[in-house]
Amino acid sequence: KYQDSKNCKKELNYTDSCNKDIVPCMVQPNFKASGWLGLLTAGMLWIDFRNPDNFEQSIESLVKEITATCGEKVAEVSLKVTSNETKQLVVPQKGRAFIHISTNKYLAETGEVITHWGSGSRSTLTVRDTAEDTSFWVQESQKGSEIVLFKNYHSQGYLGYDPNGDFIYTKPDHYGAEEWILMTDETDDTGRRAVVIFANYGKRYLT
């Protein structure tokens, strides 16, 4: 096991001390990281390699995760599908789009701005059939914390949830209502980057 290897522990600790980006991969079914590995990877989402039948999809998800994580460090990535076919995987901008697993619709800003009595201007959100400029989000997090923030790449507004009005929005600054918990959907073994997003303040899942 990776977790039991002294050499793997040294390598990952060294990587972390150098502030390098880490993208975990899950190969062993029902494995739960604990001890030093659980501490080091807290808050990170793993790429699913548990099902060998979906290996190609898992590789594609890994490539997309690396390009999204590294941003401008990666200009273009190619995936060799077969000996005669090479698939181009290019991320047009830093960040990733949220697409609903059931409806295949993308989360995006509407362009409408409303005024909230307590926190100023908020941009309303909707879902679109295709990804647009405001469909891409940059994830911000602190090492060792499960709390993440989602900043719209285009508008620079932070994704939030208002439990009183029961709606989501973006706004320029972030406080408690803009904090989220991001979890891997362990029930999905398709090799896609399937996640569950939970509002830490409002105590509700993003649906």
Side-chain angles (χ1 to χ4, degrees), residues 158-194:
Y158 287 92
L159 178 66
Y161 169 66
D162 186 334
N164 298 315
D166 191 24
F167 67 94
I168 55 176
Y169 59 86
T170 59
K171 59 191 290 286
D173 303 313
H174 62 84
Y175 300 99
E178 290 74 48
E179 294 181 347
W180 300 84
I181 297 176
L182 189 63
M183 299 166 281
T184 300
D185 182 2
E186 299 187 18
T187 64
D188 188 289
D189 65 350
T190 62
R192 297 173 298 179
R193 187 182 185 273

Side-chain angles (χ1 to χ4, degrees), residues 30-190:
N30 303 317
F31 175 75
K32 295 287 185 181
S34 59
W36 70 269
L37 185 59
L39 180 63
L40 201 59
T41 59
M44 298 182 187
L45 299 183
W46 39 265
I47 303 300
D48 188 8
F49 280 86
R50 294 172 298 172
N51 188 345
D53 294 335
N54 297 321
F55 183 77
E56 183 180 315
Q57 177 62 59
S58 298
I59 288 292
E60 184 169 335
S61 296
L62 177 60
V63 171
K64 289 181 178 179
E65 182 66 15
I66 291 173
T67 54
T69 301
C70 297
E72 67 280 355
K73 301 175 187 176
V74 179
E76 181 174 318
V77 178
S78 298
L79 173 62
K80 195 170 186 60
V81 179
T82 66
S83 57
N84 297 320
E85 180 185 2
T86 299
K87 187 173 184 179
Q88 298 296 324
L89 299 177
V90 181
V91 174
Q93 53 192 353
K94 185 172 173 63
R96 58 171 60 88
F98 293 150
I99 181 171
H100 197 280
I101 197 170
S102 299
T103 65
N104 288 321
K105 292 182 180 293
Y106 294 85
L107 184 65
E109 292 183 349
T110 63
E112 177 187 6
V113 178
I114 60 176
T115 301
H116 185 268
W117 65 269
S119 59
S121 298
R122 294 178 171 182
S123 296
T124 59
L125 298 175
T126 187
V127 288
R128 306 289 195 196
D129 291 330
T130 58
E132 54 189 45
D133 288 342
T134 62
S135 297
F136 293 89
W137 306 82
V138 178
Q139 179 179 323
E140 297 181 0
S141 60
Q142 292 184 347
K143 186 181 297 184
S145 173
E146 64 177 355
I147 300 297
V148 297
L149 306 172
F150 294 108
K151 188 175 185 179
N152 192 278
Y153 182 85
H154 182 76
S155 71
Q156 299 295 292
Y158 287 92
L159 178 66
Y161 169 66
D162 186 334
N164 298 315
D166 191 24
F167 67 94
I168 55 176
Y169 59 86
T170 59
K171 59 191 290 286
D173 303 313
H174 62 84
Y175 300 99
E178 290 74 48
E179 294 181 347
W180 300 84
I181 297 176
L182 189 63
M183 299 166 281
T184 300
D185 182 2
E186 299 187 18
T187 64
D188 188 289
D189 65 350
T190 62

Side-chain angles (χ1 to χ4, degrees), residues 5-24:
S5 171
K6 292 182 179 179
N7 288 333
C8 290
K9 181 179 180 180
K10 291 178 181 178
E11 291 171 355
L12 195 59
N13 275 316
Y14 177 71
T15 300
D16 182 60
S17 68
C18 293
N19 292 317
K20 298 296 184 181
D21 295 316
I22 298 173
V23 180

